[in-house]
Amino acid sequence: MGRALVSVGLLGGLVVVAAAQLAGLVLVLRVLPPVPSPSSSAVGYTVLVLILFGFAAALVTAVAAGLWKGLRSCPHSPPEAVVGPDRAPGLWELVRDLAATAGTRPPDEIRLMAEINVWSEETLLRGRRRLRIGLPLLQMMTLGQFRFALAHHVEHFSAGHTRTRGLADRCGAVVTATAGFLHPANPAGWAFRTYAWVYTLIDRALLRRQEYRADAAAARVAGPVAGVEALRETMVLIQAWRLYVSGHVPADVFGGFAEFVAAHKTEVDDLRAQPLNATGSWRDPFPPMAARAVAITARFPAAAPADERPAAPLIPDLAAVGLEISARGYAPESPDGR
């Protein structure tokens, strides 16, 4: 709830910024003489007043356009397939066990998607939970790595991060859209762009704190070794996918990816040997993977071996699910999952 409250408060601050600029324009109009002085012309005075009213209109229009665009924004939804307990009994059993351990209820729906990512979401009013899982992760990860990835997002459910994420994201969309509505050369937009920078700085810091919390909870369940391995394997799969889609991609996209990874084992192992990314940006909602790994190992120094069994058998007909997603018009592209 914390991020949502901060986002709503910062959205109110955007209105304050607009109101302060309008108040400044009113002050200028009051300072100006009501009639032209002997050294000025009536035409010049009129032009100045029109310019000030133009700035005021631009401010009001920018805020209104930002609200409209932000409230109407819809998140990107990749091709996906719903898998119920009858189709993925092992996966549902694992998710329910993790939810019970976290003291929260499991998702109402699980979907496999065509991205190397895991995404948890929850509606604000009805509280309906949905877990989206990247099929390549399920294909390639070990059970220990996959358990960490799932436990990470179950913690997002448990901590209430997902319940208000949509509200916070829309607040951010409003601030960003308002800042981008006015031309960069328009002085009326300078304060908006500065405020959007401050908003992004605060919001991304809150998101990174949520990620560290979810990592800690997941490492407590799956173990720190599995946690670090999951971060590394995600990085490896993203890079392997980029190599895969740069060439000829067969009709069976995901089956072809599994064959590609198996055929390039040496290259993939070289990717696994590379250090985790240690660079990040203040705009990035995710901490650098190297920093996440350090935080995990520092908090949980005693490490038990990770479960090295493959995660793919959690869904008996995983290949069929992959074909189903491919048939829904999925066009392979280079992912940027986390």
Side-chain angles (χ1 to χ4, degrees), residues 20-338:
Q21 293 186 80
L22 289 173
L25 295 176
V26 172
L27 181 62
V28 171
L29 287 175
R30 289 185 63 85
V31 170
L32 290 175
V35 293
S37 64
S39 61
S40 62
S41 66
V43 174
Y45 179 81
T46 303
V47 169
L48 180 59
V49 170
L50 290 176
I51 290 175
L52 292 178
F53 273 106
F55 281 155
L59 288 171
V60 174
T61 303
V63 173
L67 284 169
W68 177 254
K69 185 175 180 180
L71 294 176
R72 293 178 68 249
S73 62
C74 296
H76 168 66
S77 181
E80 54 193 11
V82 178
V83 289
D86 56 333
R87 195 173 188 184
L91 176 60
W92 274 94
E93 181 182 0
L94 175 58
V95 171
R96 285 168 174 161
D97 287 345
L98 292 172
T101 301
T104 190
R105 61 185 177 87
D108 301 287
E109 189 178 68
I110 296 179
R111 299 186 178 194
L112 294 188
M113 63 179 181
E115 288 186 1
I116 300 180
N117 203 349
V118 181
W119 188 253
S120 49
E121 60 184 30
E122 185 174 0
T123 58
L124 178 61
L125 298 179
R126 296 179 59 190
R128 181 173 177 81
R129 294 178 172 180
R130 179 178 295 146
L131 186 64
R132 286 187 164 98
I133 301 169
L135 191 147
L137 294 178
L138 192 53
Q139 278 183 310
M140 302 299 166
M141 277 188 165
T142 65
L143 194 54
Q145 296 165 356
F146 192 63
R147 182 181 288 110
F148 174 87
L150 293 182
H152 176 102
H153 286 274
V154 167
E155 174 60 21
H156 281 316
F157 284 135
S158 178
H161 300 160
T162 53
R163 189 69 180 266
T164 55
R165 179 188 292 152
L167 175 61
D169 288 346
R170 287 188 184 277
C171 289
V174 170
V175 173
T176 302
T178 301
F181 182 80
L182 298 175
H183 192 276
N186 190 335
W190 295 345
F192 285 151
R193 285 186 286 275
T194 301
Y195 192 80
W197 179 84
V198 173
Y199 180 97
T200 303
L201 186 68
I202 296 173
D203 183 66
R204 297 303 186 265
L206 292 173
L207 282 171
R208 289 192 291 271
R209 189 171 67 179
Q210 290 182 358
E211 291 302 305
Y212 281 124
R213 171 173 175 168
D215 278 347
R220 190 177 295 111
V221 174
V225 174
V228 174
E229 288 182 355
L231 296 176
R232 186 178 304 280
E233 193 67 11
T234 301
M235 178 195 75
V236 169
L237 292 178
I238 289 174
Q239 296 181 68
W241 185 269
R242 291 188 178 126
L243 295 173
Y244 171 61
V245 299
S246 65
H248 173 72
V249 178
D252 182 3
V253 177
F254 304 103
F257 181 55
E259 295 175 357
F260 175 85
V261 172
H264 296 78
K265 185 179 183 304
T266 302
E267 293 91 330
V268 173
D269 287 341
D270 289 341
L271 292 175
R272 292 191 178 101
Q274 294 179 2
L276 289 170
N277 178 35
T279 59
S281 168
W282 64 271
R283 290 182 175 274
D284 199 335
F286 298 94
M289 286 193 174
R292 294 171 66 181
V294 168
I296 290 172
T297 54
R299 187 162 183 175
F300 304 96
D307 191 336
E308 296 295 332
R309 292 175 296 171
L314 291 172
I315 300 182
D317 60 344
L318 186 59
V321 177
L323 289 172
E324 181 180 333
I325 297 175
S326 299
R328 294 184 176 179
Y330 171 61
E333 58 183 16
S334 181
D336 190 18
R338 298 284 175 162

